[in-house]
Amino acid sequence: MLHNDLEGDVALDTTAEVVGLIAAITRRYTVEAQAAAARHGLTPMQAKALLAARTPVPMRRIAEVLHAEPSNVTPIVDKLAESGLLERRPNPEDRRGRLVAATDEGVAVIADLDDNMPFARDPLATLPADQRRELRDLLKRVLDD
């Protein structure tokens, strides 16, 4: 019985450590993203939307990046457009659709965000592609019920 208790303690310790590491990564990402966005009077979500529009994209792509419903992205894009950082353009592949793209001013802000968010820009930068995929797959397994 002692052996099983010890294994259980090790599993709990490992789980606690993994959860703590995920929380630390999230905190570091959030703090860095908030600070970089604040330099431009942006919220982290606005900064993330701007980064997603560094090349012209449909609004649904920004929604995917933000993990949000497209209708919830409209006010974010509107605010960025009012600030002169984004613009809406006709979509040459879909006459009814529009693309969202960074303006010249938006591109300058994106460059500054990139410079001031080295960790948040790519938290997995130190991992090779195969380890990134493995980590993704493991985290998906944890979330699958």
Side-chain angles (χ1 to χ4, degrees):
M1 185 68 175
L2 180 60
H3 182 69
N4 284 341
D5 287 343
L6 189 58
E7 284 180 14
D9 289 345
V10 170
L12 287 176
D13 288 347
T14 301
T15 298
E17 185 177 6
V18 168
V19 169
L21 289 167
I22 291 170
I25 289 166
T26 302
R27 273 191 309 275
R28 184 172 172 188
Y29 176 96
T30 301
V31 167
E32 188 175 278
Q34 286 175 337
R39 290 169 46 94
H40 300 281
L42 302 174
T43 66
M45 289 293 274
Q46 289 169 336
K48 198 170 181 179
L50 180 60
L51 289 165
R54 67 175 73 228
T55 60
V57 293
M59 186 88 90
R60 72 180 171 280
R61 177 63 188 137
I62 293 175
E64 290 167 2
V65 169
L66 298 180
H67 304 288
E69 292 298 317
S71 61
N72 294 331
V73 173
T74 300
I76 295 169
V77 170
D78 288 346
K79 179 71 174 164
L80 291 167
E82 289 169 17
S83 300
L85 300 176
L86 286 183
E87 63 184 9
R88 289 180 173 89
R89 301 178 181 171
N91 184 342
E93 297 176 11
D94 177 4
R95 284 189 287 169
R96 292 177 297 157
R98 310 273 295 161
L99 297 177
V100 178
T103 62
D104 289 343
E105 185 180 348
V107 170
V109 171
I110 287 169
D112 187 71
L113 291 171
D114 282 343
D115 288 346
N116 287 285
M117 294 188 345
F119 182 80
R121 185 178 62 247
D122 189 358
L124 304 181
T126 61
L127 299 178
D130 62 327
Q131 289 181 347
R132 289 174 184 230
R133 286 188 296 273
E134 183 178 0
L135 178 59
R136 178 204 58 209
D137 294 346
L138 290 170
L139 291 172
K140 280 183 174 182
R141 280 183 53 195
V142 169
L143 290 175
D144 289 343
D145 291 325

